[in-house]
Amino acid sequence: MNRKPLHTGKSLQQRLSELQGKLAELNAPLSGLEPGRIARVYTRHFIKVNRQLFIPLSLYSIRVFDIPPTCRGVRVGIRTVFPSGNEFNNIRLVGIGRDYLELQGKGKFPSRILFPLSQVESIYRSTTHRKK
């Protein structure tokens, strides 16, 4: 079986430019959740959501909706530098970029969660198995 490698070689800005126009939920340190469409991705440092400029590498996470689920990836647990409870203890890692991780979101609506590496403390193999 030929597996696609998880390493993308892309930066967070490059990945976000592929997702321009999609609905996103930005999880920021002091403002909580900021939902909106990714209106523009600048070459360096900024993205525009809801007429505001954000620095993606300073955010806790970026959840992007309307992305079809994928079967590729590895089940892992992620420890974050911000309090996240057990939300990421059994989640599918689908991409590793130069400065971010991409996870497939759980739940009814297909989504991807992009974590700047500065917000990730550790990655470990998940010991809990998904229920069938």
Side-chain angles (χ1 to χ4, degrees):
M1 185 161 111
N2 187 11
R3 291 187 165 201
K4 288 185 177 181
L6 293 179
H7 295 277
T8 65
K10 297 177 190 171
S11 69
L12 181 56
Q13 289 294 115
Q14 290 170 325
R15 181 61 177 128
L16 287 169
S17 68
E18 295 173 354
L19 303 171
Q20 197 164 308
K22 299 270 187 194
L23 181 62
E25 184 179 80
L26 309 179
N27 187 358
L30 297 175
S31 63
L33 300 177
E34 290 277 342
R37 297 225 175 258
I38 301 172
R40 184 164 179 201
V41 178
Y42 296 87
T43 308
R44 293 179 175 244
H45 308 297
F46 296 103
I47 61 172
K48 189 175 193 177
V49 176
N50 292 339
R51 293 192 254 168
Q52 295 181 60
L53 294 178
F54 291 91
I55 301 168
L57 290 174
S58 72
L59 301 172
Y60 284 157
S61 66
I62 304 165
R63 183 183 292 258
V64 183
F65 295 95
D66 301 328
I67 298 178
T70 181
C71 292
R72 79 172 195 174
V74 178
R75 287 248 165 237
V76 297
I78 303 288
R79 282 190 195 93
T80 59
V81 297
F82 59 92
S84 60
N86 291 327
E87 187 173 345
F88 307 114
N89 67 346
N90 183 21
I91 195 161
R92 187 180 299 272
L93 175 66
V94 297
I96 302 170
R98 290 191 308 218
D99 55 0
Y100 75 98
L101 297 179
E102 184 168 345
L103 307 169
Q104 184 165 296
K106 300 175 186 176
K108 188 164 121 173
F109 301 105
S111 68
R112 296 288 171 82
I113 305 167
L114 306 174
F115 281 102
L117 285 181
S118 62
Q119 301 303 323
V120 176
E121 210 169 73
S122 67
I123 304 170
Y124 57 93
R125 276 292 217 182
S126 180
T127 56
T128 57
H129 296 286
R130 188 175 176 169
K131 295 178 183 176
K132 293 185 180 181

